């Protein structure tokens, strides 16, 4: 085997360089360079390698940042839209104003059709309804044909009600203050509670038989004033165990809570009796003079604008 | 072994070592760089899928797209544009695989020589990579990454896909991204219909969209177009004759007022409002649909009226043309049109030219309203002091004592005093001495209260001179506050967004158009009736001379030294405020030294706008409240005109003011009810 030696002089260097292995190496190098210039194989190899490892690399850079912002922005909008839809759905399905009031938080609003609001209006206690807006005004607005929708907006100090024409111009607006709202909200919560769990009844909860006995002793007009819709009680399935009288009047009406038991379940059905009839009954139940009346202004809290 | 041979040998081995080190370094560098290389989205068209936020006019016409791209496939783009882009940016695009090696070597050599000219060698693919992933910071590391991403893009996608992505995301300036949007913005046509001259102009813009903006620097843009055409000729895309012909051919740029985008001051306002409510990211990336109160036709008339009014003012003031580039050297103007019965802002101009200056003088520029503030003073005086339009005051020199300061002695604009006159005439002639007497009687706080009830929200100084408009307000506030008078005292807050929806059309919010009565209807009508006289026979009479004859009321305003000129006026349906002045608060005087008043500078703009805005509308009168009676009185005594006597002035009186006639005392004031002191 020939021993590898270092070239001794320049001639030797040149001879070795121009020998077959050197020339072959040069030719290969030259071919690679020419091929690169013609076929761009280096770029292709790197490009293919990068494409193959693409999924391992970070989603960084302007376009990905923009994508993230888009996703985050769309999800923020999605939340807004779905919240609003939920309120709208709740408002559409609400059977009374109490349900809507109870579901909204401050600053939120719900849009109802004019017809739906009229239905809810009819279910309000007469005094409260009339103090919000006169039924005759409502009738006039409905008859004019311009009132198309109603917007309810919960504020920290009450509920704003806007009666709107199709272009959202306000035909009438009025505010219902916080106190009546609290009572309305309570009515919304009544379904799955006992009388003790509901504020305003403490100390005024009576066994049903005692309540009905006192009721039977009243005159017919007093009974009608106390329970204007007795058919609602007749529809109840289960047994009325206890009855509570609220300590607050709202627009001339007082809540009467009927605790109904079905098996081990309890729920409260709220009806509104006229305040004078309720105080009369309460006097009977507590053995006081029937003349005593509440000092509270029943209309307090309603401020038409 | 000779010395030089030893040296040669050392150099050889050292070279080999360096080569080895360089190869190893390159290898390591490649893999280190690779770790931070961004992932390329697949498919590439995903880069143009961001949903745009769309802004609509009240008419339903879409007036602006934000954040999105109007992407078009390559076969919907003029081949001339494609050729122009390739010739200018990367003429070996079809041949290379991401890097143009010859150009790279040339650029490296030129940069190495340090001739001062920095040569760029970025191919279209590299530019695409840069735009998609990297900042514009010029570092070698960024350059290498950009190059590697370009190689990947080339390896993964076809040339057509790369070109399509490129032409759909490049910025052309004036808010136009992508060739389709640029073609619409600059030429009002689809990208497929671009001719050679238009295509070559557009292809030159991405190099520096601001510098070559053809709306602002047309000559520069033409020079750049020449470069593009010569490149096209040099690479054989077109003949030299075609290039010369295209260079000479006329370019029909789309008129600016309607394109850039229409009513940009208004859109700025909408965007700012949206960003405050939803955040910048939601506005720019969530694809909202925003329905505004904007009326494109009214806006076009507002643009025309403001620009032609200012051109006339330039001529009057002899503003030299040489100062054209400096917005502060020209008088500026603002115009706001508000729908009286809702507060909806229908048109808004915040300056002479949005392209020149984006400063929104309709909102941000609180300037002194001068006598334009007097209607609030008169309202307060009627309501608080029980005065009437027929109450008589004496126009005379006055000096209002101010504790701890020299007396305030306002002078009339004319410098003359006319003696006794009824308040209706005092307002229509804008008599300062009588305004001073009124504010002395009712106090400045009453004026502030009246202004607030009308909707003025800017800070107001509690000084008597407030009655002559010495606290700054914006044209938007003035238009909105006067709308309260137009509606007989029903105040609406101004607004510009009616409804916001998400991209699927679900409503996120909608405007409830609530209002409140803040002024007494009868007193408000008395003020409106007096303000009608401003147009019919007072300081705003130029409006009638210019051909606007519908029932309208208004008030001029001019500040000391003619720094500000105002006219705010309204019909029963539309309230419009116009302000004119220099940004730097310079005096507006013609070469003869005559100042520009509200009647001379702002009222003509108002008249021209209103003439167009109300063209074809039926004559609508202001609603007269039930308690109002019209009585003809003598303008100097306030006494009813006797049968057969000379014609007097019609004044609107509340029923309580009609019966109690008092003889003219010749003293400081008298007249019909409320005049006695």
């Amino acid at each position: 085997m020939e021993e590898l030696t270092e070239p001794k002089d320049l001639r030797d260097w040149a001879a070795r360089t121009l020998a077959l292995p050197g020339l072959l190496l040069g030719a290969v190098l030259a071919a690679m360079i020419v091929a690169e210039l013609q076929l761009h194989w280096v770029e292709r190899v790197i490009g293919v390698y990068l494409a193959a490892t693409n999924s391992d690399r970070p989603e960084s850079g302007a376009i990905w940042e923009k994508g993230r912002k888009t996703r985050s922005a769309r999800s923020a909008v999605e939340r807004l839209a779905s919240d609003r839809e939920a309120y709208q759905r709740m408002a559409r399905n609400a059977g009374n104003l109490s349900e809507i009031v109870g579901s909204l938080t401050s600053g939120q609003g719900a849009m109802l059709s004019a017809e739906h609001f009229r239905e809810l209006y009819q279910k309000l206690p007469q005094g409260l309804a009339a103090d919000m807006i006169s039924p005759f005004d409502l009738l006039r607005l409905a008859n004019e044909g311009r009132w198309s929708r109603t917007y309810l907006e919960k504020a920290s100090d009450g509920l704003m009600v806007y009666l709107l024409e199709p272009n959202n111009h306000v035909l009438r607006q009025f505010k219902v203050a916080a106190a009546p709202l609290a009572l309305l909200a309570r009515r919304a919560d009544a379904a799955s509670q006992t009388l003790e769990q509901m504020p305003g009844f403490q100390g005024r909860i009576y066994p049903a038989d005692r309540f009905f006995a006192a009721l039977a002793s009243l005159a017919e007009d007093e009974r009608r004033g106390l329970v204007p819709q007795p058919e609602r009680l007749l529809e109840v399935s289960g047994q009325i165990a206890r009855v509570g009288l609220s300590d607050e009047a709202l627009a001339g009406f007082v809540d009467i809570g009927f605790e109904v038991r079905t098996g081990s379940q309890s729920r409260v059905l709220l009806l509104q009796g006229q305040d004078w009839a309720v105080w009369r009954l309460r006097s009977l139940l507590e053995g006081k003079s029937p003349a005593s009346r509440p000092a509270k202004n029943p209309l307090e809290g309603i401020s038409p604008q | 072994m000779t010395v030089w041979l030893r040296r040669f040998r050392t150099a050889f081995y050292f070279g080999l070592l360096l080569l080895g080190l360089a190869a190893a370094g390159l290898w390591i560098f490649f893999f280190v760089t690779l770790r931070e290389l961004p992932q390329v989205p697949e498919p590439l068209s995903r880069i143009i899928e961001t949903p745009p936020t769309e802004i609509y006019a009240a008419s339903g016409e879409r007036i602006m797209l934000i954040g999105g791209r109007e992407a078009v496939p390559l076969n919907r783009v003029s081949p001339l544009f494609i050729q122009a882009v390739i010739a200018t940016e990367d003429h070996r695009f079809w041949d290379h695989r991401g890097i143009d090696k010859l150009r790279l070597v040339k650029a490296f050599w030129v940069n190495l020589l340090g001739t001062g000219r920095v040569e760029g060698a970025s191919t279209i693919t590299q530019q695409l990579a840069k735009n998609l992933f990297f900042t514009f910071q010029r570092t070698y590391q960024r350059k290498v990454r950009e190059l590697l991403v370009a190689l990947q893009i080339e390896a993964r996608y076809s040339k057509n896909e790369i070109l399509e992505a490129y032409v759909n995301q490049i910025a052309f300036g004036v808010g136009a991204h992508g060739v389709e949007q640029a073609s619409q913005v600059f030429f009002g046509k689809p990208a497929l219909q671009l001719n050679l001259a238009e295509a070559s102009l557009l292809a030159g813009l991405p190099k520096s969209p601001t510098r070559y903006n053809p709306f602002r620097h047309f000559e520069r843009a033409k020079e750049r177009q020449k470069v593009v055409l010569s490149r096209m000729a040099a690479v054989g895309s077109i003949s030299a004759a075609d290039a010369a012909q295209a260079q000479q051919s006329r370019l029909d740029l789309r008129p600016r007022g309607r394109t850039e985008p229409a009513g940009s001051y208004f859109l700025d306002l909408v965007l700012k409002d949206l960003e405050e409510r939803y955040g910048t990211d939601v506005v720019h990336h969530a694809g909202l649909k925003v329905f505004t109160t904007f009326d494109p036709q009214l806006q076009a008339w507002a643009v025309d009226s403001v620009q032609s009014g200012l051109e006339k003012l330039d001529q009057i003031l002899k503003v030299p043309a040489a100062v054209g580039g400096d917005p502060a050297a020209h008088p500026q103007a603002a115009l706001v049109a508000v729908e009286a019965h809702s507060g909806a802002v229908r048109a808004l101009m915040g300056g002479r030219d949005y392209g020149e200056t984006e400063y929104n003088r309709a909102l941000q520029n609180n300037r002194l309203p001068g006598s334009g503030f007097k209607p609030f003073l008169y309202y307060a005086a009627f309501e608080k002091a029980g005065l009437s339009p027929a109450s008589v005051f004496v126009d005379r020199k006055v000096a209002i004592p101010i504790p701890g300061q020299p007396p305030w002695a306002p002078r009339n604009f004319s410098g003359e005093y006319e003696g006794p006159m009824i308040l209706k005439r005092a307002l229509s002639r804008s008599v300062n001495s009588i305004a001073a007497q009124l504010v002395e009687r009712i106090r400045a706080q009453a004026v502030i209260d009246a202004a607030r009830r009308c909707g003025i929200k800017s800070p107001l100084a509690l000084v008597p001179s407030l009655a002559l408009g010495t606290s700054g307000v914006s044209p938007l506030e003035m238009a909105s506050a006067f709308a309260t008078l137009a509606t007989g005292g029903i105040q609406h807050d101004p607004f510009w967004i009616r409804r916001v929806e998400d991209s699927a059309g679900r409503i996120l919010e909608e405007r409830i158009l609530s209002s409140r009565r803040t002024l007494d209807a009868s007193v408000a009508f008395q003020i409106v009736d007096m303000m009608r006289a401003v147009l019919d026979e007072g300081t705003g009479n130029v409006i009638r001379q210019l051909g606007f004859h519908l029932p309208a009321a208004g008030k001029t305003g001019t500040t000391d030294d003619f720094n500000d000129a105002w006219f705010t006026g309204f019909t029963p349906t539309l309230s419009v405020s116009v302000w004119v002045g220099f940004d730097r608060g310079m005096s507006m005087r013609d070469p003869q030294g005559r100042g520009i008043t509200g009647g001379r500078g702002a009222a003509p703009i108002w008249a021209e706008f209103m003439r167009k805005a109300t063209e074809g509308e039926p004559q609508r009168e202001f609603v007269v409240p039930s308690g109002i009676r019209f009585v003809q009185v003598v303008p100097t005594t306030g006494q009813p005109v006797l049968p057969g006597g000379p014609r007097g002035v019609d004044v609107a009186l509340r029923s309580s003011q009609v019966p109690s006639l008092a003889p003219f005392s010749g003293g400081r004031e008298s007249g019909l009810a409320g005049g006695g002191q």
Side-chain angles (χ1 to χ4, degrees), chain A residues 87-94 96-97 100 109-121 147-152 161-164, chain B residues 510:
Chain A
Y87 291 129
Q88 286 305 120
R89 201 166 33 248
M90 175 274 299
R92 270 198 305 276
N93 299 332
N96 55 58
L97 199 60
I100 299 177
M111 191 74 82
L112 311 175
S113 69
E115 294 73 26
H116 191 186
F117 182 77
R118 280 188 349 230
E119 284 169 24
L120 301 182
Y121 178 85
W147 174 30
S148 66
R149 300 193 296 171
T150 304
Y151 187 67
L152 307 176
V161 181
Y162 302 91
L163 310 186
L164 307 173
Chain B
E510 55 187 319

Side-chain angles (χ1 to χ4, degrees), chain B residues 487-516:
Chain B
T487 55
I490 310 283
Q491 196 261 331
H492 299 84
D493 286 329
F495 72 100
W496 34 89
I497 296 174
R498 279 192 189 279
R499 194 169 76 249
V500 181
E501 295 177 359
D502 70 0
S503 56
R506 291 177 299 178
I507 295 173
L508 299 179
E509 66 167 293
E510 55 187 319
R511 177 85 183 185
I512 303 294
L513 304 178
S514 64
S515 57
R516 57 202 174 112

Side-chain angles (χ1 to χ4, degrees), chain B residues 327-339:
Chain B
H330 277 294
Q332 291 285 347
L335 182 152
V336 181
V338 172
E339 198 172 75

Side-chain angles (χ1 to χ4, degrees), chain B residues 319-631:
Chain B
V319 177
V323 299
D326 180 6
H330 277 294
Q332 291 285 347
L335 182 152
V336 181
V338 172
E339 198 172 75
H341 285 278
S342 67
V345 177
R346 307 303 303 278
L348 186 144
M349 273 292 278
R352 174 188 287 261
D353 181 350
Y354 183 79
E356 194 177 75
T357 154
E358 295 176 13
Y359 180 52
N360 196 337
R361 294 157 193 85
L363 286 94
Q364 298 162 301
N365 195 29
N366 274 20
R367 299 290 288 246
L368 307 187
S371 296
F373 216 68
K374 283 178 184 164
F376 309 125
L377 164 73
Y378 278 80
Y379 180 88
F382 286 10
E383 191 179 63
K384 191 173 180 192
L387 299 173
S388 83
S391 300
V392 176
F393 275 69
V394 180
D395 179 17
R396 59 184 169 80
K397 273 190 179 175
V398 289
I400 311 295
I402 299 177
Q405 289 180 39
W408 176 51
R411 293 174 51 221
N412 285 341
F413 179 75
S414 63
E416 293 170 0
Y417 300 94
E418 297 183 44
M421 67 172 71
I422 58 171
L423 289 183
K424 181 171 184 174
R425 176 156 290 182
L427 180 68
S428 70
R429 295 188 179 176
S430 205
V431 178
N432 288 343
S433 72
I434 292 180
Q437 293 172 56
L438 289 176
V439 74
E440 185 185 19
R441 181 190 280 202
I442 61 168
R443 302 294 172 199
Q445 185 58 51
V447 184
I448 292 178
D449 291 344
R452 294 273 181 248
R453 284 156 65 191
C454 287
I456 297 286
K457 293 193 165 55
S458 291
L460 299 172
L462 186 63
V463 291
S465 61
L466 168 80
L468 300 187
T470 54
S471 285
V473 290
S474 71
L476 175 65
E477 281 179 291
M478 286 299 281
S480 170
F482 275 35
T484 307
L485 294 168
T487 55
I490 310 283
Q491 196 261 331
H492 299 84
D493 286 329
F495 72 100
W496 34 89
I497 296 174
R498 279 192 189 279
R499 194 169 76 249
V500 181
E501 295 177 359
D502 70 0
S503 56
R506 291 177 299 178
I507 295 173
L508 299 179
E509 66 167 293
E510 55 187 319
R511 177 85 183 185
I512 303 294
L513 304 178
S514 64
S515 57
R516 57 202 174 112
R517 172 164 290 287
T518 56
L519 304 181
D520 178 87
S522 297
V523 179
F525 180 80
Q526 288 182 304
I527 302 300
V528 171
D529 183 61
M530 289 164 69
M531 291 167 74
R532 287 184 71 159
V534 173
L535 273 72
D536 296 335
E537 59 201 43
T539 51
N541 186 242
V542 65
I543 285 165
R544 297 303 187 205
Q545 292 165 20
L546 288 170
F548 180 74
H549 296 296
L550 288 179
K555 186 69 192 81
T556 52
T558 310
T559 55
D560 287 347
D561 291 331
F562 305 98
N563 285 353
D564 304 276
W566 291 77
F567 188 83
T568 307
F570 50 86
T571 65
T573 54
L574 195 63
S575 178
V576 178
S577 182
V578 177
W579 165 86
V580 174
F582 283 100
D583 281 347
R584 290 184 191 138
M586 287 146 53
S587 178
M588 290 186 290
R589 290 179 191 272
D590 64 18
Q592 288 75 43
R594 288 173 57 218
I596 301 299
T597 61
R600 200 173 168 206
I605 294 174
W606 190 94
E608 187 181 338
F609 173 74
M610 289 300 277
R611 217 159 27 81
K612 292 171 179 166
T614 58
E615 194 175 349
E617 275 192 13
Q619 180 155 319
R620 288 195 190 91
E621 290 289 348
F622 292 99
V623 177
V624 184
S626 57
I628 289 290
R629 300 282 178 275
F630 287 94
V631 177

Side-chain angles (χ1 to χ4, degrees), chain A residues 100-112:
Chain A
I100 299 177
V101 169
S103 308
L104 294 175
T105 56
S106 186
Q108 289 170 337
M111 191 74 82
L112 311 175

